[in-house]
Amino acid sequence: MRFYNLFLIVTLCFVVGVARAAVPKKVVGGDISMLTKYYDAGKKYYDADGNLLSDAPAFLSYLKAQGLNSMRVRLFVDPSKASSAHQGQGVCQDLDYVKKLGKQIKDAGLCFLLDFHYSDTWTDPGQHSTPASWNSTDPTTLGNYIYNYTVEALTVLKNYGAEPDDIQIGNEVTNGELWPTGHCYANEQGITEGNITGSMANFVLYLKRSAEACRQVCPNARIVVHTELSNNGWGAKTLYPTLKKYDVDYDIIGLSYYPYYHGTISNLESVITSLEQTNGDKKIQIVEVGAYYLWGPGTTTEYEVSETGQKQFTDALVTMLNNHSSVNGLYWWWLESNEYGTSSNVTTDWYAAGLWHVQTGKPCSALFSLKNFITDAQNEQMSVSAYFINEPGWSTVKAYAGSWGDDFSKVFTADWPGTTIGSDGTMTVGSSSYSTYQWTCDVSSIRDIPQRIQFNNGGWESGNQSDLVGFLNGGYYRYYQSGGSYVSECYKVDIADGAGKTDHSSDFWCLWDVTPKHVSYQRVFTANQPVTICLPFALTAQEVSAAGSFYVLDSWDGHDISFVPVTATEAYTPYLFVPSSSGMLFADLGEKEIKYTELVPVVKGDVGMYGVMERTDVASGDDVSVYGYLEDDGQFVKVKSAHVNPFRAYITLPQSASANVSTLGVVLTGSEGIAQPSSVCPSSQAAGYSLMGTRAGKGYKGIVVRNGKKVIVK
């Protein structure tokens, strides 16, 4: 990327390349919950060429090499309490089992979908027994059980290195969960069992408590609500809008689809279309799918029960799903099912709908079709948008797009390469309100985005081009008449915060010098909590004073990093920022010059601080140690590998100078009349006074003044 100067490029040669991958735009893989049991039993897995996949890591590496990028594992509360029949069918995944398999998945560079069953045994539309140890019929008590259990399980997984990227809060919850209290139909009708009637209110309570726990422990994970409504348009149209009515927090609609239960692929597509119409704000994933290649029932399917039929089904399914941009996930159920290699079976019931052939131990041909689900998304496609302000009395403004040197023949109202302009409300310019129109498209590289746009109101006027700033996201472009002249300008740029992003859609790329009339940086800050920050524009002394305090790297003494205050900031330069209040502090900065320039690293002796405009993978290597900033702790911590989100910064030190330094304390000096250096101190010490002059009691976290020093209390 052209932001980086030569020094930064040389530095990154040592640190980039082994960071954990971000969650991709589309995921494809399988449920492999029995993989450990198969290997423990001596089952043999081979690749297509007959080479032995000797252990679970080798198996997972092979799946990744075939283009798969995510794996699913189920979790039971206490599977030892399940019936012997259910245990024989594969109910064995307790927390210890799942954390070990989950870590193998993460170590293989794959994403991890965790499937909470919230039961000791199978859950599906016909059974959702409450765990035996949750011995209560009081909904509030059960809500506490589900919350505490979710927090505990996720904390264990996270600490073990098996943090899930996606989380199912229940398995096939079509008729509720935690029966009998949470037993209900999609239309909110409760179901009575004995003297207890379940209710939608109880079911919703359980979903909300589990979602609350997920957000607390794994805030970046996507939450899935999973049903088997893939052939039931009424149920899908009823249940998911009901969850919206009750304000249930989740991100993804998960469906099970088995052609021998749920009918044709066209049946599934009709349900997906219904969900897109009723729940357009949610993504959709097929979190369970399967089709037999041997033995299984075939009379209700479009495809014969054979390896060829299984592949034909998979190809047709993938083709259909790729016609729906709302669908971003596909998981094959029991992908690893394989009894080949020993005389005794791992499970008591046969299953020949996995993707390893039970008679050869080799992969079925359908395995190699799954990657086609994400082929178009392999380059991390990004959705980008531009907004056009339409003058009163004008018809729709047409906008032509093109790269430098072309003839600007591509019109936004035609397909380039995606959707068309549509009404997007109004924009106030001065004292007048104008109609705005949005144009969006998906691109896989910044190089696919046009570098200029030209406007037209039915006729054509020369010289009415605007230069694009970075991504089209958040840019408002205006073409208007002023006197006898036509004016084209970038009116406003809203820079989205990159925190928690899973792709490059918040990256910032400046393609040309421009000065929008209004600029905003949409990031929410917490008062007195220091953060790293790097912006593509400068802040004046007045803007700095209004927002808080900015510090620039000054020195490293072998343990602590010292920062000194600045009264104004420079563009593309990394700083440590201490907000004076909470909120979106740079929501409207007025006119700002955004220049086409390079990032500016701050290097003081051995230590360097680097800002980023794009999501950047970094890793410590043989020559350089990388330190990422932990906002909650107020320290820079050495990382083996990590990603740095846009508009943040990280620090590097030579490996020879930092071999035994795992954390870097933060020292702020010389600000607001406090001449003594500050230090990072434990919260158990007396807190002193906040920057507002109020007493900061025990347990206070943030910036305090103690004995003439400014201190970050953790």
Side-chain angles (χ1 to χ4, degrees), residues 20 51 70 116 142 298 319 346 371 462 584 600 671 710:
R20 167 190 167 190
N51 300 306
S70 188
F116 277 111
L142 290 172
T319 297
V346 173
K371 66 178 180 296
S462 62
M584 197 176 293
V600 182
S671 175
K710 188 180 278 187

Side-chain angles (χ1 to χ4, degrees), residues 20-21 23 70-71 98-107 110-114 153-167 213-222 643:
R20 167 190 167 190
V23 177
S70 188
M71 296 295 139
V98 171
K99 76 177 184 182
K100 294 172 182 176
L101 180 53
K103 188 174 190 305
Q104 290 177 324
I105 291 170
K106 301 291 283 190
D107 288 347
L110 297 163
C111 298
F112 175 26
L113 168 59
L114 176 66
L154 293 178
T155 300
V156 168
L157 292 171
K158 191 172 183 177
N159 291 340
Y160 197 75
E163 181 177 355
D165 301 281
D166 296 315
I167 305 170
C214 293
R215 299 297 190 203
Q216 176 183 326
V217 183
C218 299
N220 293 327
R222 300 177 298 189
H643 67 255

Side-chain angles (χ1 to χ4, degrees), residues 308-386:
T308 298
Q310 186 189 54
K311 184 180 188 304
Q312 290 173 340
F313 163 78
T314 306
D315 290 337
L317 175 66
V318 167
T319 297
M320 183 277 286
L321 295 177
N322 278 340
N323 288 329
H324 293 267
S325 60
S326 62
V327 180
N328 71 343
L330 175 63
Y331 292 86
W332 197 276
W333 165 254
W334 213 341
L335 175 150
E336 80 289 16
S337 178
N338 177 27
E339 296 287 2
Y340 182 79
T342 63
S343 58
S344 60
N345 287 348
V346 173
T347 60
T348 54
D349 292 351
W350 59 265
Y351 187 72
L355 293 180
W356 251 262
H357 204 294
V358 70
Q359 295 176 339
T360 66
K362 292 183 179 181
C364 298
S365 55
L367 173 73
F368 308 108
S369 295
L370 289 180
K371 66 178 180 296
N372 296 327
F373 176 69
I374 61 171
T375 298
D376 293 338
Q378 289 284 23
N379 294 322
E380 288 191 302
Q381 280 197 329
M382 300 156 284
S383 293
V384 295
S385 300

Side-chain angles (χ1 to χ4, degrees), residues 40-58:
D40 287 348
K43 300 303 176 182
K44 302 296 183 184
Y45 290 90
Y46 297 93
D47 67 17
D49 297 322
N51 300 306
L52 181 66
L53 303 174
S54 59
D55 54 19

Side-chain angles (χ1 to χ4, degrees), residues 19 52 62 68 170 273 293 383 469 477 514 532 541 554 573-574 602 604 673:
L52 181 66
Y62 182 70
L68 278 60
T273 300
Y293 61 86
S383 293
V469 178
Y477 300 92
V514 69
T532 61
D554 181 60
T573 304
V602 179
K604 299 289 184 178

Side-chain angles (χ1 to χ4, degrees), residues 215 222-223 240-241 243-245 247-253 272 274-284 325-328:
R215 299 297 190 203
R222 300 177 298 189
I223 297 176
Y240 287 105
L243 299 185
K244 180 185 293 187
K245 168 185 171 182
D247 198 26
V248 174
D249 177 20
Y250 72 102
D251 306 295
I252 294 168
I253 293 171
I272 289 174
S274 295
L275 290 170
E276 290 171 332
Q277 294 169 351
T278 59
N279 292 73
D281 60 326
K282 305 299 183 187
K283 290 295 186 180
I284 300 170
S325 60
S326 62
V327 180
N328 71 343

Side-chain angles (χ1 to χ4, degrees), residues 643-706:
H643 67 255
V644 184
N645 282 317
F647 319 116
R648 269 66 167 178
Y650 63 94
I651 280 176
T652 65
L653 283 167
Q655 187 67 262
S656 59
S658 61
N660 298 317
V661 182
S662 59
T663 61
L664 305 174
V666 174
V667 175
L668 308 178
T669 64
S671 175
E672 299 172 355
I674 302 173
Q676 298 291 331
S678 63
S679 59
V680 179
C681 299
S683 59
S684 58
Q685 298 185 13
Y689 294 85
S690 73
L691 295 181
M692 303 299 293
T694 59
R695 175 72 179 175
K698 189 174 182 181
Y700 178 90
K701 295 181 179 180
I703 302 291
V704 300
V705 178
R706 182 188 300 123

